[in-house]
Amino acid sequence: MKFLFIIDDIASLDPTHDSSVAMMEAAQLLSHDVYITTIERLSVVKGRGYAHVSPVSLKPVQKIDNHWYAERDWYRLGDWAFVPMDSFDAVLMRKDPPVTSAYLYATYILDLVDPQKTKVINSPRGIRAANEKMYALQFTSVIPDTIVSQDKEIIREFLREKKTVVIKPLGGKAGEGILLLHEGDKNFNSLVEISTKQGREPIMVQEYLPAAQQGDKRIIIVNGRPVGAVNRIPTKGEFRGNMAVGGTVAPTEITPRDWEICHTVGPQLLQDGLFFVGIDVIGGYLTEVNVTSPTGIREIDLLYNSTVAQTTILEIERFCRSHSHL
Ligand SMILES: Nc1ncnc2c1ncn2[C@@H]1O[C@H](COP(=O)(O)OP(=O)(O)O)[C@@H](O)[C@H]1O
Ligand SMILES: [Mg+2]
């Protein structure tokens, strides 16, 4: 099969950490042809989505002393060509957030890839439907108490009730702009003004979950089912667990409560074409549904000696075959 990965500049990827590289390697290992492109290289011609693509061959990372190691020249590109994206079996949209206008326009181009020939993962409609912070709000039985507002008085009232809250910009990722706020904080007004851009943008305000100190669990969900999980524990002096801000990874398990969350979320994910997703769970509560370019595969495969990357590619193969009309 032919796989196209829409990624950030390949030279900027970290092969020892990025799930996109793990999936490209797995696809190569499973004898698929792997190509890359970027959102800047997408076009529409005569109503058909096209891309400038390059084949890529990878030198797989090696596990040494419980770390991944990559060769300096871990990838090699071939000749670029301008081809219709429906010449691929699967197109994986793996551009990193934030969801900018350019990102959004790329999803509209992906709408013009023939779904009879090619599976786009995640579905461009699904990506547009699922703001990574707001999507979780529909699963009221498994999320912590949360409001979304730009109104200072509503936020103040919620803080009065909860005593400690976490503030989240709706377009953020990797811990950016996440703030911890206690009742009586002298910076309350200013922090809310900064976060809401002077009341012009809503933000998420969520009850603080003390269990976050024990970790923020990332569960990878493929085709509606959990395939692996990793815990991310905040580093000293920090309340955010994100790997990008120094959170350390640790093994964990998928508890009965986690299964319940996955069963709650899974069917909706499938309905929205969200095939490869990373959910965040803190103390048994769903806090975020990552759909753009979730990460965690490398960490999981290192900790457990597992092959989540290959499982993912095999699931994509099955998905492509099951929907094939050829
Ligand atoms: N309700 C919460 N209570 C305590 N800590 C939280 C809460 N929500 C998020 N955090 C912390 O903030 C980090 C980032 O939050 P998250 O909602 O996953 O946004 P993102 O990862 O997109 O920046 C989490 O890893 C966690 O450590
Ligand atoms: Mg997160």
Side-chain angles (χ1 to χ4, degrees):
M1 282 175 39
K2 285 177 75 178
F3 280 69
L4 176 63
F5 287 79
I6 305 172
I7 51 177
D8 289 280
D9 176 14
I10 190 164
S12 73
L13 298 189
D14 175 354
T16 67
H17 169 64
D18 284 318
S19 294
S20 302
V21 183
M23 286 192 263
M24 291 195 285
E25 261 178 29
Q28 177 179 282
L29 188 76
L30 293 165
S31 303
H32 298 303
D33 296 326
V34 182
Y35 290 75
I36 58 163
T37 188
T38 58
I39 60 167
E40 297 81 11
R41 292 182 168 95
L42 307 186
S43 302
V44 179
V45 179
K46 293 186 181 155
R48 222 167 152 202
Y50 276 72
H52 270 109
V53 305
S54 166
V56 62
S57 62
L58 305 162
K59 288 185 188 164
V61 294
Q62 304 286 327
K63 189 188 213 178
I64 304 168
D65 291 340
N66 241 11
H67 284 92
W68 291 121
Y69 283 93
E71 304 263 343
R72 195 176 285 271
D73 58 342
W74 58 273
Y75 68 91
R76 180 170 312 143
L77 300 182
D79 293 334
W80 291 87
F82 190 60
V83 297
M85 282 190 271
D86 61 22
S87 59
F88 294 90
D89 298 283
V91 173
L92 278 84
M93 175 56 162
R94 294 284 307 167
K95 164 92 185 92
D96 264 346
V99 178
T100 57
S101 304
Y103 186 111
L104 216 50
Y105 298 148
T107 69
Y108 291 109
I109 296 178
L110 290 171
D111 281 340
L112 296 165
V113 177
D114 185 351
Q116 305 287 344
K117 297 182 181 161
T118 306
K119 295 297 156 220
V120 180
I121 295 166
N122 287 329
S123 134
R125 277 172 199 280
I127 294 176
R128 287 194 298 270
N131 170 277
E132 301 194 317
K133 296 290 181 300
M134 301 269 297
Y135 191 78
L137 294 178
Q138 62 191 299
F139 309 108
T140 45
S141 63
V142 293
I143 59 166
D145 265 356
T146 305
I147 61 167
V148 173
S149 184
Q150 49 217 319
D151 186 314
K152 206 182 269 172
E153 291 321 310
I154 291 177
I155 297 170
R156 196 189 307 277
E157 184 51 38
F158 187 71
L159 177 58
R160 198 173 292 138
E161 187 190 321
K162 296 295 169 193
K163 311 295 180 218
T164 307
V165 299
V166 173
I167 284 184
K168 309 184 187 190
L170 297 178
K173 40 95 193 176
E176 291 164 18
I178 306 273
L179 300 169
L180 185 63
L181 199 52
H182 299 285
E183 193 185 18
D185 191 320
K186 296 275 187 297
N187 286 314
F188 174 85
N189 285 313
S190 192
L191 289 177
V192 171
E193 286 157 18
I194 292 168
S195 294
T196 62
K197 307 206 167 87
Q198 314 300 326
R200 283 193 299 269
E201 260 189 30
I203 53 171
M204 175 170 280
V205 188
Q206 192 163 70
E207 69 174 301
Y208 174 72
L209 300 166
Q213 284 160 282
Q214 281 84 56
D216 176 9
K217 191 185 292 185
R218 162 60 51 88
I219 304 174
I220 303 277
I221 299 184
V222 176
N223 201 11
R225 282 186 299 274
V227 296
V230 59
N231 200 18
R232 295 159 301 172
I233 301 165
T235 184
K236 226 169 138 217
E238 171 62 72
F239 78 96
R240 298 164 302 168
N242 303 78
M243 292 186 259
V245 294
T248 49
V249 296
T252 183
E253 51 189 38
I254 301 180
T255 63
R257 169 66 175 176
D258 297 333
W259 278 101
E260 186 188 335
I261 293 173
C262 293
H263 284 137
T264 307
V265 177
Q268 188 63 44
L269 294 178
L270 291 184
Q271 202 168 316
D272 290 331
L274 297 168
F275 192 90
F276 184 82
V277 169
I279 64 167
D280 291 346
V281 176
I282 300 174
Y285 288 98
L286 175 69
T287 57
E288 199 189 9
V289 181
N290 295 271
V291 302
T292 52
S293 184
T295 193
I297 290 185
R298 282 292 198 221
E299 289 71 23
I300 292 170
D301 282 349
L302 189 71
L303 283 170
Y304 303 100
N305 241 331
S306 55
T307 52
V308 169
Q310 287 178 54
T311 304
T312 304
I313 297 299
L314 290 170
E315 283 288 329
I316 293 173
E317 275 180 35
R318 252 165 29 115
F319 180 54
C320 291
R321 276 200 294 268
S322 68
H323 289 69
S324 174
H325 292 244
L326 299 177

